[in-house]
mmCIF file of all heavy atoms in Angstrom:
data_model
loop_
_atom_site.group_PDB
_atom_site.id
_atom_site.type_symbol
_atom_site.label_atom_id
_atom_site.label_comp_id
_atom_site.label_asym_id
_atom_site.label_seq_id
_atom_site.Cartn_x
_atom_site.Cartn_y
_atom_site.Cartn_z
ATOM 1 N N ALA A 222 -6.990 3.864 4.457
ATOM 2 C CA ALA A 222 -8.157 4.620 4.941
ATOM 3 C C ALA A 222 -7.835 5.501 6.159
ATOM 4 O O ALA A 222 -8.287 6.655 6.205
ATOM 5 C CB ALA A 222 -9.321 3.683 5.232
ATOM 6 N N PRO A 223 -7.041 5.038 7.134
ATOM 7 C CA PRO A 223 -6.721 5.933 8.267
ATOM 8 C C PRO A 223 -5.978 7.203 7.839
ATOM 9 O O PRO A 223 -6.250 8.285 8.359
ATOM 10 C CB PRO A 223 -5.860 5.061 9.175
ATOM 11 C CG PRO A 223 -6.277 3.659 8.864
ATOM 12 C CD PRO A 223 -6.558 3.672 7.382
ATOM 13 N N LEU A 224 -5.061 7.093 6.872
ATOM 14 C CA LEU A 224 -4.362 8.280 6.377
ATOM 15 C C LEU A 224 -5.319 9.183 5.610
ATOM 16 O O LEU A 224 -5.291 10.409 5.766
ATOM 17 C CB LEU A 224 -3.176 7.892 5.499
ATOM 18 C CG LEU A 224 -2.389 9.053 4.905
ATOM 19 C CD1 LEU A 224 -1.812 9.939 6.004
ATOM 20 C CD2 LEU A 224 -1.293 8.559 3.999
ATOM 21 N N LEU A 225 -6.184 8.600 4.787
ATOM 22 C CA LEU A 225 -7.202 9.389 4.085
ATOM 23 C C LEU A 225 -8.046 10.166 5.094
ATOM 24 O O LEU A 225 -8.297 11.356 4.932
ATOM 25 C CB LEU A 225 -8.123 8.467 3.276
ATOM 26 C CG LEU A 225 -7.592 7.929 1.968
ATOM 27 C CD1 LEU A 225 -8.301 6.642 1.598
ATOM 28 C CD2 LEU A 225 -7.784 8.957 0.889
ATOM 29 N N ARG A 226 -8.480 9.476 6.118
ATOM 30 C CA ARG A 226 -9.329 10.074 7.157
ATOM 31 C C ARG A 226 -8.603 11.237 7.849
ATOM 32 O O ARG A 226 -9.171 12.306 8.040
ATOM 33 C CB ARG A 226 -9.719 8.991 8.160
ATOM 34 C CG ARG A 226 -10.847 9.350 9.062
ATOM 35 C CD ARG A 226 -11.366 8.128 9.822
ATOM 36 N NE ARG A 226 -12.250 7.332 8.966
ATOM 37 C CZ ARG A 226 -11.950 6.127 8.472
ATOM 38 N NH1 ARG A 226 -10.803 5.541 8.747
ATOM 39 N NH2 ARG A 226 -12.806 5.491 7.701
ATOM 40 N N ARG A 227 -7.337 11.023 8.219
ATOM 41 C CA ARG A 227 -6.558 12.087 8.878
ATOM 42 C C ARG A 227 -6.368 13.290 7.956
ATOM 43 O O ARG A 227 -6.511 14.436 8.380
ATOM 44 C CB ARG A 227 -5.200 11.566 9.334
ATOM 45 C CG ARG A 227 -5.245 10.824 10.651
ATOM 46 C CD ARG A 227 -3.852 10.588 11.221
ATOM 47 N NE ARG A 227 -2.916 9.942 10.320
ATOM 48 C CZ ARG A 227 -2.792 8.629 10.162
ATOM 49 N NH1 ARG A 227 -3.571 7.803 10.844
ATOM 50 N NH2 ARG A 227 -1.905 8.131 9.335
ATOM 51 N N ALA A 228 -6.016 13.028 6.704
ATOM 52 C CA ALA A 228 -5.782 14.124 5.755
ATOM 53 C C ALA A 228 -7.058 14.931 5.515
ATOM 54 O O ALA A 228 -7.025 16.166 5.477
ATOM 55 C CB ALA A 228 -5.253 13.564 4.435
ATOM 56 N N LEU A 229 -8.182 14.235 5.377
ATOM 57 C CA LEU A 229 -9.443 14.936 5.154
ATOM 58 C C LEU A 229 -9.887 15.681 6.409
ATOM 59 O O LEU A 229 -10.405 16.806 6.322
ATOM 60 C CB LEU A 229 -10.527 13.959 4.689
ATOM 61 C CG LEU A 229 -10.360 13.483 3.245
ATOM 62 C CD1 LEU A 229 -11.217 12.251 2.984
ATOM 63 C CD2 LEU A 229 -10.702 14.603 2.275
ATOM 64 N N SER A 230 -9.672 15.095 7.570
ATOM 65 C CA SER A 230 -10.030 15.761 8.819
ATOM 66 C C SER A 230 -9.228 17.052 8.990
ATOM 67 O O SER A 230 -9.783 18.094 9.363
ATOM 68 C CB SER A 230 -9.782 14.816 9.999
ATOM 69 O OG SER A 230 -10.092 15.442 11.205
ATOM 70 N N LYS A 231 -7.935 16.991 8.698
ATOM 71 C CA LYS A 231 -7.103 18.198 8.767
ATOM 72 C C LYS A 231 -7.574 19.238 7.755
ATOM 73 O O LYS A 231 -7.594 20.428 8.049
ATOM 74 C CB LYS A 231 -5.636 17.855 8.502
ATOM 75 C CG LYS A 231 -4.928 17.270 9.681
ATOM 76 C CD LYS A 231 -3.464 17.078 9.351
ATOM 77 C CE LYS A 231 -2.724 16.537 10.549
ATOM 78 N NZ LYS A 231 -1.295 16.353 10.240
ATOM 79 N N ALA A 232 -7.943 18.776 6.554
ATOM 80 C CA ALA A 232 -8.427 19.700 5.521
ATOM 81 C C ALA A 232 -9.700 20.395 5.983
ATOM 82 O O ALA A 232 -9.851 21.608 5.801
ATOM 83 C CB ALA A 232 -8.665 18.952 4.211
ATOM 84 N N VAL A 233 -10.614 19.644 6.581
ATOM 85 C CA VAL A 233 -11.856 20.228 7.086
ATOM 86 C C VAL A 233 -11.542 21.296 8.132
ATOM 87 O O VAL A 233 -12.103 22.393 8.118
ATOM 88 C CB VAL A 233 -12.789 19.140 7.665
ATOM 89 C CG1 VAL A 233 -13.943 19.757 8.429
ATOM 90 C CG2 VAL A 233 -13.307 18.217 6.555
ATOM 91 N N GLU A 234 -10.622 21.001 9.030
ATOM 92 C CA GLU A 234 -10.264 21.952 10.085
ATOM 93 C C GLU A 234 -9.511 23.165 9.540
ATOM 94 O O GLU A 234 -9.697 24.280 10.025
ATOM 95 C CB GLU A 234 -9.427 21.262 11.164
ATOM 96 C CG GLU A 234 -10.184 20.209 11.938
ATOM 97 C CD GLU A 234 -11.457 20.735 12.582
ATOM 98 O OE1 GLU A 234 -11.438 21.853 13.141
ATOM 99 O OE2 GLU A 234 -12.470 20.022 12.523
ATOM 100 N N ASN A 235 -8.664 22.965 8.542
ATOM 101 C CA ASN A 235 -7.838 24.050 8.003
ATOM 102 C C ASN A 235 -8.525 24.858 6.907
ATOM 103 O O ASN A 235 -7.976 25.853 6.452
ATOM 104 C CB ASN A 235 -6.516 23.502 7.461
ATOM 105 C CG ASN A 235 -5.627 22.961 8.555
ATOM 106 O OD1 ASN A 235 -5.674 23.436 9.687
ATOM 107 N ND2 ASN A 235 -4.827 21.972 8.228
ATOM 108 N N ALA A 236 -9.703 24.442 6.480
ATOM 109 C CA ALA A 236 -10.368 25.074 5.342
ATOM 110 C C ALA A 236 -10.840 26.492 5.640
ATOM 111 O O ALA A 236 -11.099 27.256 4.715
ATOM 112 C CB ALA A 236 -11.546 24.216 4.885
ATOM 113 N N ALA A 237 -10.953 26.858 6.900
ATOM 114 C CA ALA A 237 -11.309 28.227 7.299
ATOM 115 C C ALA A 237 -12.556 28.731 6.564
ATOM 116 O O ALA A 237 -12.519 29.777 5.922
ATOM 117 C CB ALA A 237 -10.114 29.159 7.079
ATOM 118 N N GLY A 238 -13.630 27.983 6.653
ATOM 119 C CA GLY A 238 -14.897 28.411 6.062
ATOM 120 C C GLY A 238 -15.065 28.115 4.583
ATOM 121 O O GLY A 238 -16.074 28.465 3.999
ATOM 122 N N ARG A 239 -14.074 27.493 3.975
ATOM 123 C CA ARG A 239 -14.155 27.160 2.548
ATOM 124 C C ARG A 239 -14.594 25.718 2.364
ATOM 125 O O ARG A 239 -14.482 24.899 3.272
ATOM 126 C CB ARG A 239 -12.792 27.356 1.881
ATOM 127 C CG ARG A 239 -12.327 28.792 1.879
ATOM 128 C CD ARG A 239 -10.913 28.881 1.385
ATOM 129 N NE ARG A 239 -10.053 28.452 2.503
ATOM 130 C CZ ARG A 239 -8.758 28.640 2.562
ATOM 131 N NH1 ARG A 239 -8.127 29.222 1.581
ATOM 132 N NH2 ARG A 239 -8.062 28.231 3.594
ATOM 133 N N ASP A 240 -15.049 25.398 1.164
ATOM 134 C CA ASP A 240 -15.306 24.012 0.794
ATOM 135 C C ASP A 240 -13.966 23.298 0.643
ATOM 136 O O ASP A 240 -12.919 23.933 0.477
ATOM 137 C CB ASP A 240 -16.066 23.918 -0.533
ATOM 138 C CG ASP A 240 -17.537 24.291 -0.394
ATOM 139 O OD1 ASP A 240 -18.036 24.454 0.728
ATOM 140 O OD2 ASP A 240 -18.191 24.401 -1.440
ATOM 141 N N VAL A 241 -14.006 21.967 0.677
ATOM 142 C CA VAL A 241 -12.804 21.149 0.503
ATOM 143 C C VAL A 241 -12.929 20.393 -0.809
ATOM 144 O O VAL A 241 -14.005 19.899 -1.158
ATOM 145 C CB VAL A 241 -12.640 20.161 1.687
ATOM 146 C CG1 VAL A 241 -11.487 19.192 1.440
ATOM 147 C CG2 VAL A 241 -12.422 20.929 2.984
ATOM 148 N N VAL A 242 -11.823 20.313 -1.541
ATOM 149 C CA VAL A 242 -11.754 19.544 -2.780
ATOM 150 C C VAL A 242 -10.868 18.332 -2.542
ATOM 151 O O VAL A 242 -9.724 18.475 -2.121
ATOM 152 C CB VAL A 242 -11.189 20.376 -3.952
ATOM 153 C CG1 VAL A 242 -10.990 19.509 -5.192
ATOM 154 C CG2 VAL A 242 -12.099 21.559 -4.262
ATOM 155 N N ALA A 243 -11.406 17.141 -2.793
ATOM 156 C CA ALA A 243 -10.612 15.913 -2.764
ATOM 157 C C ALA A 243 -10.168 15.648 -4.199
ATOM 158 O O ALA A 243 -10.986 15.318 -5.061
ATOM 159 C CB ALA A 243 -11.434 14.746 -2.226
ATOM 160 N N ASN A 244 -8.896 15.829 -4.447
ATOM 161 C CA ASN A 244 -8.334 15.646 -5.779
ATOM 162 C C ASN A 244 -7.926 14.178 -5.930
ATOM 163 O O ASN A 244 -6.986 13.718 -5.281
ATOM 164 C CB ASN A 244 -7.134 16.575 -5.954
ATOM 165 C CG ASN A 244 -6.469 16.428 -7.293
ATOM 166 O OD1 ASN A 244 -6.887 15.636 -8.125
ATOM 167 N ND2 ASN A 244 -5.426 17.194 -7.505
ATOM 168 N N LEU A 245 -8.640 13.457 -6.785
ATOM 169 C CA LEU A 245 -8.394 12.023 -6.974
ATOM 170 C C LEU A 245 -7.660 11.733 -8.278
ATOM 171 O O LEU A 245 -7.636 10.583 -8.723
ATOM 172 C CB LEU A 245 -9.733 11.272 -6.944
ATOM 173 C CG LEU A 245 -10.613 11.503 -5.716
ATOM 174 C CD1 LEU A 245 -11.905 10.717 -5.847
ATOM 175 C CD2 LEU A 245 -9.884 11.157 -4.446
#
Side-chain angles (χ1 to χ4, degrees):
L224 179 60
L225 282 156
R226 195 168 280 110
R227 278 192 307 274
L229 286 164
S230 179
K231 281 185 178 180
V233 169
E234 294 304 318
N235 293 330
R239 295 172 283 194
D240 285 351
V241 173
V242 174
N244 179 0
L245 306 179

